[in-house]
Amino acid sequence: MAADLILTNATVYTVDRARPWATSLAVKDGRLVSSDDVGPDTEVRDLGGAFVMPGLVDVHNHHALAGRAALFELTFGGDLGFEAILDAVRARSRDLGPDEWVVGGAWASTLVETLSQESARRALDEAAGGRAVMLSDDSRHNRWVSSRALELAGVTASTPDPAGGVIVRDPVTGDPTGVLLEAAGVQVERAVRETGTLTEEQHARASRHAIGILHSYGITSFQDAGVSVDILNALKTLDEAGQLDAWVVTSLLINDPIFGYDPIGSALLELGERYRSEHHRPDFVKIFLDGVPPTRTAAFLEPYLPDEVHGACFHGAPTMPPAELADWLRAAAGAGLSAKIHCTGDASVRATLDAVEKLRGEGFTDVKFQVAHGQFVHPDDLARFGALGVAADISPFLWVPGVIPTAIANVLPAERATRMQPNRALLDSGALVAGGSDWPVSESPNAWEGIQGLVTRQDPAGAHPGALWPEQAITLAEAVEAFTLSGARAMGVDDVTGSLTPGKSADFVVLDRNPFESATEELYTTEITETWFAGRKVFERD
């Protein structure tokens, strides 16, 4: 049977160990085929030796949040200081009505102390002309808000700290400073939704815009790490219209300390299946088992550095006890759902592995489990990933020096803060290691930044000197596999994508270089020339 498309004279890296290299690629009806028969309607393209590889897989992002931010919010990078952020708010506010919100981010974790002052909140009020403002930090777990936002959310000096959250207060007056850690920001998130809800069409636009950005970075498959009904509906709407050009796996929230979505938990699990479509699989649940280290909300086996608020023996704590975690994982598995568990401290990682071990012993042998982030793993727990079949979702791009590692170094002893992301040890112990961006926590979903960082453990752009635990570097081939086939396996879509294997979807990219013949320090500048999904070109660089 004649192929629809044949690429010839190409350097094809298949990520298929049975046949890792090829010189041609054939497509029929959106699938890869082994036959390269030419018929009257076959398009044959000579690529002149260009490098071709599978479409990239991002195992952890928040695509809809990124799309929403790009289209409807104020966006800035973690390099902005206090005064520059105020200038950005001031400029954004000029075009808004008096009752419109300024929503956006992301301010650097290192600014927590600076923003935790009533004077900072008053400066924010002035910059916004008294408007409601909600700005997220670089982890997207914490908020800095204006006085009007606190008023609309009903947060006052007498408002108690919610479970899993902290309202940072002035030590003298007790008034909220405007910094809301973890679950303390949920009330403001809900206030934003009540007064500035996006339409169904806008949610679909946000998802489609984000997927277009992902295509420009060669990503044809991804897992959204925490979705609402609005996001689920947008994906289904796009797919039914023939506009969802990616394999998308979504994660249904069991608990929600940061987004303010409703419904979550059992109610959301009951709804998830109705949004399944050809290219969208609502196959995972998402559990936040802890927060993030810079705000001391990650759960550790050993204590943080002492401070005036927490004392000298503070470890942080998981968001739920072991029995509750096991119950949720069991309920999800019984419903045929896999699980992504957010763990940034080594205590939450251990709690997850303990729960998975219990479920494996109960017969849940085929359920997929992912530890998301896994920034810190106790050496005793490394071999348990492979033994228990738990994938390491190594995101965001925290295996290189940068703002977030700097913030972590402010709260952990140096000998622990520098031993982050043990990727080499995980691979050597037999773990499935899958690459993710956590975009928009990372400023872009460029997998080549992550790939270079995995290989060098250095900041690809050179803005932050040094190397972060260089002994944990992995090879280029291993890094590429983390962002292709391993990611697909972790998500459960390796039946259709992740490698250039006959029978799979024709998802591939053409690069501007052969990364295996390029300088390692220039990998992050790799550009996507073309992105193809299911045999259709979905991106071409001008």
Side-chain angles (χ1 to χ4, degrees):
M1 185 178 295
D4 298 325
L5 171 69
I6 298 176
L7 305 181
T8 65
N9 190 19
T11 303
V12 182
Y13 186 58
T14 68
V15 197
D16 182 343
R17 294 180 184 179
R19 184 172 175 255
W21 294 95
T23 57
S24 64
L25 201 66
V27 178
K28 176 69 176 178
D29 297 330
R31 297 273 174 172
L32 298 167
V33 294
S34 54
S35 172
D36 56 0
D37 292 344
V38 178
D41 298 322
T42 302
E43 178 186 357
V44 179
R45 290 183 56 195
D46 184 327
L47 290 190
F51 189 88
V52 179
M53 63 177 287
L56 294 162
V57 178
D58 187 340
V59 79
H60 190 131
N61 70 32
H62 299 275
H63 86 287
L65 296 184
R68 188 181 74 191
L71 293 178
F72 307 116
E73 297 178 0
L74 169 65
T75 59
F76 53 87
D79 55 332
L80 261 63
F82 176 68
E83 293 296 338
I85 293 172
L86 294 178
D87 288 343
V89 170
R90 195 171 287 113
R92 177 79 172 183
S93 299
R94 292 191 190 108
D95 298 323
L96 298 178
D99 296 325
E100 290 187 82
W101 284 75
V102 178
V103 176
W107 46 271
S109 300
T110 49
L111 288 177
V112 169
E113 186 174 346
T114 299
L115 304 184
S116 296
Q117 312 290 331
E118 280 199 80
S119 59
R121 192 192 72 234
R122 289 194 293 271
L124 182 61
D125 294 341
E126 182 279 326
R131 292 174 180 81
V133 181
M134 182 184 72
L135 303 177
S136 301
D137 75 334
D138 49 18
S139 74
R140 296 310 199 274
H141 279 239
N142 308 297
R143 310 287 183 268
W144 180 38
V145 305
S146 67
S147 299
R148 179 59 175 158
L150 290 170
E151 179 185 347
L152 291 172
V155 178
T156 68
S158 60
T159 302
D161 287 348
V166 174
I167 302 169
V168 179
R169 306 169 193 271
D170 183 273
V172 177
T173 67
D175 290 333
T177 63
V179 172
L180 306 172
L181 304 181
E182 298 287 343
V186 168
Q187 281 185 249
V188 179
E189 285 281 357
R190 289 173 178 162
V192 171
R193 285 173 173 76
E194 290 171 1
T195 56
T197 304
L198 298 182
T199 65
E200 287 190 10
E201 187 273 336
Q202 287 174 318
H203 280 292
R205 276 179 58 201
S207 281
R208 190 175 185 191
H209 182 78
I211 292 169
I213 295 173
L214 292 171
H215 286 158
S216 73
Y217 289 103
I219 296 162
T220 57
S221 181
F222 64 90
Q223 182 169 353
D224 192 299
V227 295
S228 64
V229 167
D230 290 326
I231 297 169
L232 292 168
N233 186 64
L235 292 168
K236 184 175 177 62
T237 299
L238 289 175
D239 213 7
E240 290 179 342
Q243 298 175 348
L244 185 57
D245 294 326
W247 300 103
V248 185
V249 173
T250 49
S251 314
L252 310 174
L253 291 168
I254 295 297
N255 60 342
D256 176 15
I258 57 176
F259 298 123
Y261 292 157
D262 184 34
I264 59 171
S266 298
L268 182 59
L269 267 58
E270 292 175 4
L271 296 174
E273 189 61 27
R274 71 176 60 178
Y275 297 101
R276 185 179 299 277
S277 59
E278 180 182 3
H279 299 115
H280 169 222
R281 303 181 182 185
D283 283 349
F284 276 71
V285 300
K286 169 68 175 292
I287 295 174
F288 285 95
L289 199 55
D290 65 0
V292 291
T295 54
R296 300 176 188 252
T297 51
F300 283 98
L301 297 168
E302 298 179 34
Y304 288 90
L305 289 171
D307 72 345
E308 293 181 0
V309 175
H310 302 90
C313 299
F314 183 71
H315 297 243
T319 60
M320 58 182 70
E324 183 180 355
L325 173 62
D327 285 346
W328 275 117
L329 295 181
R330 188 180 298 109
L337 296 171
S338 298
K340 182 188 287 284
I341 303 100
H342 168 109
C343 307
T344 60
D346 55 8
S348 57
V349 171
R350 178 168 291 179
T352 296
L353 294 171
D354 289 346
V356 171
E357 185 171 13
K358 185 173 185 178
L359 264 70
R360 294 297 193 215
E362 294 173 5
F364 293 103
T365 57
D366 296 329
V367 179
K368 295 185 181 298
F369 295 101
Q370 302 172 4
V371 164
H373 308 304
Q375 289 162 242
F376 296 92
V377 181
H378 192 279
D380 292 347
D381 291 324
L382 287 167
R384 301 178 71 195
F385 279 79
L388 293 170
V390 176
D393 158 7
I394 53 169
S395 65
F397 294 165
L398 285 180
W399 42 83
V400 300
V403 173
I404 293 178
T406 298
I408 291 173
N410 292 332
V411 299
L412 291 181
E415 66 274 10
R416 288 167 53 204
T418 56
R419 297 178 71 81
M420 201 161 48
Q421 297 280 181
N423 303 324
R424 174 78 269 153
L426 284 166
L427 279 171
D428 289 346
S429 69
L432 178 65
V433 172
S437 66
D438 206 7
W439 181 56
V441 172
S442 61
E443 293 186 18
S444 89
N446 181 6
W448 291 102
E449 293 180 9
I451 289 170
Q452 181 171 324
L454 283 169
V455 174
T456 67
R457 305 286 295 199
Q458 298 173 342
D459 176 15
H464 301 274
L468 186 61
W469 204 3
E471 293 83 359
Q472 293 298 324
I474 67 176
T475 69
L476 176 56
E478 289 169 331
V480 168
E481 187 161 331
F483 278 94
T484 52
L485 184 57
S486 292
R489 285 174 173 161
M491 291 164 49
V493 294
D494 53 309
D495 58 325
V496 290
T497 196
S499 64
L500 299 180
T501 303
K504 290 190 177 184
S505 181
D507 308 335
F508 59 89
V509 293
V510 183
L511 306 185
D512 68 345
R513 70 195 70 184
N514 181 338
F516 293 95
E517 296 179 354
S518 302
T520 301
E521 63 272 15
E522 295 178 359
L523 283 170
Y524 82 105
T525 65
T526 299
E527 290 192 340
I528 307 299
T529 303
E530 298 176 13
T531 301
W532 291 68
F533 174 75
R536 291 176 286 109
K537 188 189 298 183
V538 293
F539 171 78
E540 183 172 15
R541 190 165 301 281
D542 296 334

